[in-house]
Amino acid sequence: MGQTANIVELQQVGKKYRDIRALQCLDLYLKAGEVFGLFGHNGAGKTTIIKLILGLIGASFGRISVFGKDPAQQGGREFRSKLGFLQENVSFYAQLTGLEVLEYFAQLKGATRKQCMELLEQVGLKDAYDRRVKTYSKGMRQRLGLAQALLGNPRLLLLDEPTVGLDPIATREFYHTIDHLKHQGCTIVLCSHVLPGVEKYLDRALILRRGRVLAAGSIEQLQDQASLPAVFQLKGQSGLLEELPQELRPLTRSHSKGAELLVPMDERMQALRILTKLRGIDKIDIQLPSLEDLYTYFNQQRFDQEGVL
């Protein structure tokens, strides 16, 4: 495989459980060093996609390739050693210490004891390496799960709700780790219900609903697809609205602390140039459509199309 070859390929993949379609006609391609976000409500198909990539289940139809082979057909240590996986609800042997847990998984993946200690330090568990897992908090168990997923320096990392139970500092450190792995060439698939803060680390995202793709692409591409406006928050002197040029007034909403302008994304630079020339404005804050805004928009579009009450 060349450098530009896809690490993961899903072509028109679907998965059925009896009469339930968990996934419908999905096309997905992931390259080395890409951080890809999977987003959707419970039952949207996120975990099904991860299980298909891991080879834990087979597709009902379509083609799947991971490192050039069908993951449901191939097995063995070589394939598994390329993968790292963190499930949503982490569970380990409660009587083992953190180090003993990692050493157990290290034997399965051919990793060293030295890496176990390095990973415990990396995830902030260096001082708790000899404590039994039953004494760990939920956040500590989640960190141990991340360390387990990173054993063996995987080329493909699959993370299902990885920040559950982490405090804000630990969450920030986790995303710094993701960014570091990305620059080392690791491909990362990230599922999360916690949307704020994740978007700046993503190369692309996929939004699902009931096994169907609602939208896919980079944050910029999703913003273009949604055509949501940029929100300009203006603060300044009284009579601020009267100073606005006529072409901006239809875009304006006033409130007690100033005014808001809802500006089409492709007009925001022109609007900014106009606003910076007005003497009555003291402060301008610009809020672009966030991943959370986009997620809500695309789900609402499908909600309206389905006519769900």
Side-chain angles (χ1 to χ4, degrees), residues 69 193 289:
K69 297 181 180 180
H193 284 105

Side-chain angles (χ1 to χ4, degrees), residues 238-252:
S238 59
L240 173 62
L241 295 181
E242 285 72 21
E243 289 192 35
L244 294 178
Q246 197 67 35
E247 65 265 31
L248 293 182
R249 292 188 183 186
L251 308 174
T252 306

Side-chain angles (χ1 to χ4, degrees), residues 1-203:
M1 298 175 67
Q3 291 185 349
T4 59
N6 296 314
I7 298 295
V8 175
E9 294 185 1
L10 278 70
Q11 298 177 353
Q12 290 294 290
V13 169
K15 181 63 180 178
K16 292 178 64 178
Y17 297 98
R18 295 185 179 179
D19 297 330
I20 299 175
R21 290 192 173 188
L23 199 62
Q24 304 186 45
C25 299
L26 174 66
D27 289 315
L28 175 62
Y29 305 92
L30 302 177
K31 296 186 180 299
E34 184 171 22
V35 181
F36 189 85
L38 285 176
F39 304 104
H41 61 283
N42 291 331
K46 306 185 302 298
T47 301
T48 297
I49 292 173
I50 287 182
K51 288 181 178 180
L52 288 166
I53 294 173
L54 288 170
L56 299 177
I57 58 175
S60 300
F61 54 86
R63 174 182 172 273
I64 303 177
S65 172
V66 181
F67 300 114
K69 297 181 180 180
D70 184 345
Q73 299 298 321
Q74 68 172 322
R77 188 168 181 171
E78 181 182 358
F79 172 67
R80 300 300 176 192
S81 67
K82 298 177 183 178
L83 304 176
F85 173 51
L86 174 62
Q87 63 185 18
E88 179 177 358
N89 297 310
V90 180
S91 179
F92 296 114
Y93 298 112
Q95 296 300 324
L96 296 182
T97 66
L99 178 59
E100 288 171 341
V101 167
L102 282 196
E103 287 178 333
Y104 170 77
F105 286 102
Q107 290 179 355
L108 298 177
K109 298 189 72 173
T112 65
R113 187 179 190 276
K114 179 182 177 183
Q115 189 187 27
C116 292
M117 290 301 298
E118 291 172 348
L119 286 172
L120 286 169
E121 182 173 5
Q122 182 176 332
V123 300
L125 293 177
K126 180 182 178 181
D127 295 334
Y129 79 94
D130 57 349
R131 284 173 47 187
R132 296 185 187 275
V133 172
K134 67 179 182 181
T135 69
Y136 282 16
S137 67
K138 183 176 181 180
M140 293 172 71
R141 291 194 298 272
Q142 196 72 9
R143 295 186 190 194
L144 184 61
L146 178 59
Q148 173 274 138
L150 296 176
L151 279 168
N153 301 311
R155 292 173 55 196
L156 175 60
L157 192 58
L158 304 160
L159 305 173
D160 194 356
E161 299 294 344
T163 59
V164 171
L166 298 184
D167 60 44
I169 294 176
T171 298
R172 185 171 66 249
E173 291 173 349
F174 163 77
Y175 284 123
H176 287 168
T177 299
I178 293 300
D179 196 47
H180 176 69
L181 292 169
K182 166 187 166 65
H183 286 94
Q184 289 183 325
C186 183
T187 302
I188 301 161
V189 178
L190 177 66
C191 296
S192 179
H193 284 105
V194 184
L195 302 184
V198 67
E199 60 194 84
K200 65 180 179 180
Y201 299 100
L202 298 177
D203 294 299

Side-chain angles (χ1 to χ4, degrees), residues 196-257:
V198 67
E199 60 194 84
K200 65 180 179 180
Y201 299 100
L202 298 177
D203 294 299
R204 290 187 296 135
L206 182 71
I207 300 176
L208 295 160
R209 180 181 171 88
R210 295 181 179 176
R212 297 180 180 179
V213 176
L214 298 184
S218 66
I219 299 298
E220 292 77 12
Q221 289 170 333
L222 295 178
Q223 289 171 339
D224 290 341
Q225 293 174 40
S227 297
L228 293 175
V231 179
F232 283 56
Q233 300 275 0
L234 308 181
K235 294 183 180 180
Q237 303 170 13
S238 59
L240 173 62
L241 295 181
E242 285 72 21
E243 289 192 35
L244 294 178
Q246 197 67 35
E247 65 265 31
L248 293 182
R249 292 188 183 186
L251 308 174
T252 306
R253 300 185 306 197
S254 62
H255 55 77
S256 59
K257 296 183 180 180

Side-chain angles (χ1 to χ4, degrees), residues 282-293:
D282 298 327
K283 184 178 180 181
I284 302 174
D285 289 326
I286 304 175
Q287 299 174 3
L288 303 183
S290 66
L291 179 59
E292 191 169 11
D293 296 330

